[in-house]
Amino acid sequence: MAEAALELIEVTFRHEIPSPTFFKPWNKRQGPGVFSLNLTLPKGEILGLVGPNGAGKTTLLRMLAGVIPLDSGTIRLNGDDLNKRLEPVDYLLRCNVGHMPEQVRWNGSESVLETMMGFAEMREGNIDSKKLLELVGLSSKLADGLDTLSQGMRQRLSLAIALMGAPKILLLDEPFNGLDPVAAKSVEKMVKQLADNGVSIIISSHHVSGMADFVDRLALIHKGQIVAEGKISEIERDLGLSNRIEIAGEGKMPDFEKLLNKKGELISSTNTANKWKAMVLQPDSKLMSRILDNGHTIYFWHPKAPDIVEMLCNATGLKIEEIGMEIDPVSMLPLRYRGEEE
């Protein structure tokens, strides 16, 4: 593995949430967050940080950007333990890490260029604001006011500011939100170029689809913990989600028990209104021919890519109902701490 640009060792941060009592209505207690998390980001790697809403993605990125402090744990930059430096850890992170938040409310009559120059004045060294805006495709919007920008343009402006100071670590929180397909491909190309030049990048998302050919590795986060990590193909294999085919056709459902080979397995099937659909694990290369030779009609056949819910269910052993996309504060407590009194 390449030299590590960033290492997290037992990193923890917990949000404080209201817990009023009769005598202390202002009382608070520790709630959800990131729990004893370990993660390594090699130089020049693109890491996809994937998890449902409320899993801890944004909290983790804010910690790495120096926006919120660590409760405990160690962060190393290029092998340098930041806890042993004289400067505060959050200051060192802000000096070395570029951060693009998920949503920034760019409002007002100030122009795009004026906004960039205002942020540039807060950074050390000379920053070419026009060059950065050109890099993200905003060179024609220099004099436009912030109120006139579309959501996609606001995303590009946030990215340009994150690139100030030529950071070697770049954190992108849902960077493709609000971008049309052409703009998204442009950002994806630029991110790959940055990685080729040695920049280490973490991209957070609540979708797995579309990342297979884009990221080098995937880290699946749930309840503030990394529950699976590695190349997407490796995670699929380890979780039993690889080599699956979705098949659909018309007429009578094929007898898959007779048509599948010894390794093949019928995972699920539906048969309604003279149409059928099935998912098969580890089909052999001649399965389609056997189905057609038995007089069945196929109009749909393609590999089934796992979604985030499937990955979480297999990684945690929980059911879909237990995973949920809407997570309340209690369910966001990590698996290892479930039942803890606070």
Side-chain angles (χ1 to χ4, degrees):
M1 182 179 286
E3 183 181 352
L6 176 69
E7 293 176 89
L8 309 183
I9 304 171
E10 295 293 316
V11 167
T12 295
F13 171 83
R14 298 183 69 175
H15 296 279
E16 288 191 342
I17 58 177
S19 181
T21 64
F22 183 79
F23 293 104
K24 294 182 179 180
W26 60 86
N27 192 52
K28 293 184 178 182
R29 66 179 179 88
Q30 288 187 317
V34 173
F35 302 83
S36 300
L37 190 144
N38 295 281
L39 189 66
T40 299
L41 180 66
K43 289 184 178 179
E45 180 181 87
I46 303 175
L47 175 70
L49 182 66
V50 180
N53 294 330
K57 303 185 301 296
T58 296
T59 296
L60 177 58
L61 295 190
R62 287 176 178 174
M63 287 171 56
L64 297 179
V67 177
I68 56 179
L70 275 69
D71 289 339
S72 62
T74 299
I75 295 182
R76 292 176 181 165
L77 288 179
N78 299 313
D80 186 10
D81 186 342
L82 299 189
N83 288 337
K84 297 180 179 179
R85 296 282 297 272
L86 295 178
E87 302 92 335
V89 172
D90 55 351
Y91 169 78
L92 294 171
L93 289 171
R94 289 195 296 270
C95 290
N96 291 276
V97 177
H99 179 219
M100 175 183 168
E102 180 179 359
Q103 289 186 344
V104 179
R105 291 180 172 85
W106 297 113
N107 296 314
S109 59
E110 190 176 47
S111 73
V112 171
L113 182 58
E114 289 171 341
T115 301
M116 280 290 293
M117 294 177 67
F119 276 89
E121 290 177 357
M122 295 185 284
R123 300 298 295 260
E124 297 180 0
N126 296 321
I127 294 174
D128 191 335
S129 297
K130 289 185 177 180
K131 185 176 180 180
L132 284 174
L133 290 171
E134 180 182 356
L135 181 65
V136 299
L138 286 178
S139 57
S140 63
K141 303 292 182 180
L142 299 183
D144 289 16
L146 298 179
D147 284 337
T148 67
L149 299 181
S150 66
Q151 175 60 26
M153 292 176 185
R154 289 183 169 94
Q155 289 287 84
R156 295 180 186 217
L157 177 57
S158 297
L159 180 58
I161 291 173
L163 292 172
M164 283 185 173
K168 289 301 180 181
I169 297 174
L170 186 61
L171 312 175
L172 307 178
D173 198 350
E174 299 285 359
F176 301 113
N177 280 358
L179 298 182
D180 59 71
V182 175
K185 281 294 181 184
S186 177
V187 172
E188 182 178 317
K189 181 180 178 181
M190 183 176 62
V191 169
K192 288 182 178 179
Q193 290 175 341
L194 289 169
D196 290 339
N197 290 328
V199 179
S200 304
I201 303 167
I202 298 179
I203 297 179
S204 80
S205 176
H206 55 275
H207 295 294
V208 177
S209 59
M211 301 189 78
D213 299 323
F214 179 45
V215 301
D216 298 305
R217 285 190 307 128
L218 192 72
L220 186 63
I221 187 171
H222 181 54
K223 298 187 191 331
Q225 296 172 295
I226 300 295
V227 295
E229 181 185 354
K231 293 183 178 180
I232 294 181
S233 59
E234 295 172 347
I235 294 176
E236 291 177 356
R237 182 197 64 221
D238 294 342
L239 297 179
L241 297 172
S242 61
N243 196 13
R244 299 180 304 165
I245 297 292
E246 281 189 320
I247 315 169
E250 295 179 342
K252 184 181 178 181
M253 168 79 73
D255 188 349
F256 284 99
E257 289 187 6
K258 294 182 179 180
L259 296 174
L260 290 171
N261 62 3
K262 293 181 179 180
K263 292 184 178 180
E265 178 185 349
L266 180 64
I267 301 175
S268 63
S269 64
T270 57
N271 190 0
T272 58
N274 201 38
K275 292 183 179 180
W276 57 269
K277 186 176 181 181
M279 187 186 304
V280 175
L281 177 65
Q282 295 186 353
D284 65 284
S285 60
K286 296 182 180 180
L287 176 59
M288 181 185 287
S289 298
R290 290 197 296 272
I291 295 174
L292 295 174
D293 290 344
N294 275 265
H296 299 285
T297 300
I298 296 176
Y299 64 80
F300 186 87
W301 172 291
H302 73 72
K304 172 66 170 68
D307 59 32
I308 188 172
V309 177
E310 286 182 310
M311 284 187 164
L312 285 172
C313 288
N314 284 42
T316 62
L318 300 174
K319 297 179 181 179
I320 292 178
E321 297 79 11
E322 295 173 301
I323 293 289
M325 291 294 105
E326 296 296 332
I327 303 178
D328 57 65
V330 173
S331 68
M332 283 176 63
L333 293 179
L335 301 175
R336 72 179 69 168
Y337 293 163
R338 186 62 63 84
E340 173 190 11
E341 292 185 3
E342 297 187 284

